[in-house]
Amino acid sequence: MSTLDYTQYGLAPWLVTEDKSEDWNATAPIIFNVVLGTNGQSVVLEYQLPDYPDQNYIPVTCNSTIQINLVSEQLFFSKEFDGITTKEPLSSFYGGVEYCNYDKEFGRYKTVLFKARFNKGGKLGTCHRFNVNVDLLQYTSAGEPTWIGLAIDPDIKNPPPQD
């Protein structure tokens, strides 16, 4: 049994950079899809980055907006926890969370956007670990919805490695 406490850190409510001239909305958001599906008899969880199909991490190359979409009829952002948390204090890099794509039937969200400040001068390939906190929808034998909380563990590379 571990005696270590596991802590998750929320993102900053607002995110301010030193460079006031940069337009955070000048580029399209970095799209990151979390897809829950099946592969034969197995349940699979995949990450899809439409603009970076060969990568399994979110690359931050400039001040950006990151959009995380849950692609499944059973995945929703957590009702109990922040949708996005980090595993270390990184509020100087990430913040301004916005929830979108509200599902009225279940009272939960399917999309989260947040701002990512480029780690200018940072070591190439710096890995920032974060959690996507979701609730998995299941049904009881009586047909009642129940929820299982899960933390999905992708990475952000800020700045990303050079190929």
Side-chain angles (χ1 to χ4, degrees), residues 11 91 124:
L11 277 58
S91 61
L124 292 174

Side-chain angles (χ1 to χ4, degrees), residues 2-7:
S2 174
T3 57
L4 298 175
D5 291 334
Y6 179 74
T7 304

Side-chain angles (χ1 to χ4, degrees), residues 26-129:
T27 59
I30 299 170
I31 305 294
F32 184 77
N33 295 322
V34 177
V35 182
L36 180 68
T38 59
N39 180 0
Q41 294 183 351
S42 300
V43 174
V44 293
L45 183 70
E46 295 178 339
Y47 303 146
Q48 296 175 347
L49 287 102
D51 293 334
Y52 306 94
D54 297 329
Q55 294 180 358
N56 62 356
Y57 60 86
I58 299 171
V60 176
T61 58
C62 63
N63 289 348
S64 306
T65 299
I66 297 173
Q67 178 178 324
I68 299 181
N69 302 308
L70 300 179
V71 182
S72 167
E73 293 180 11
Q74 291 180 267
L75 284 182
F76 297 84
F77 280 98
S78 176
K79 203 165 195 175
E80 183 177 352
F81 300 105
D82 289 343
I84 305 296
T85 54
T86 60
K87 296 182 180 182
E88 56 189 311
L90 293 170
S91 61
S92 62
F93 288 106
Y94 307 101
V97 175
E98 296 178 40
Y99 291 87
C100 307
N101 197 5
Y102 184 73
D103 185 297
K104 290 181 183 180
E105 180 182 358
F106 297 110
R108 295 162 194 259
Y109 293 91
K110 301 286 282 180
T111 300
V112 166
L113 293 105
F114 62 96
K115 304 292 184 196
R117 183 175 63 83
F118 178 60
N119 187 8
K120 184 177 180 181
K123 186 172 105 177
L124 292 174
T126 297
C127 186
H128 292 159
R129 299 174 311 137

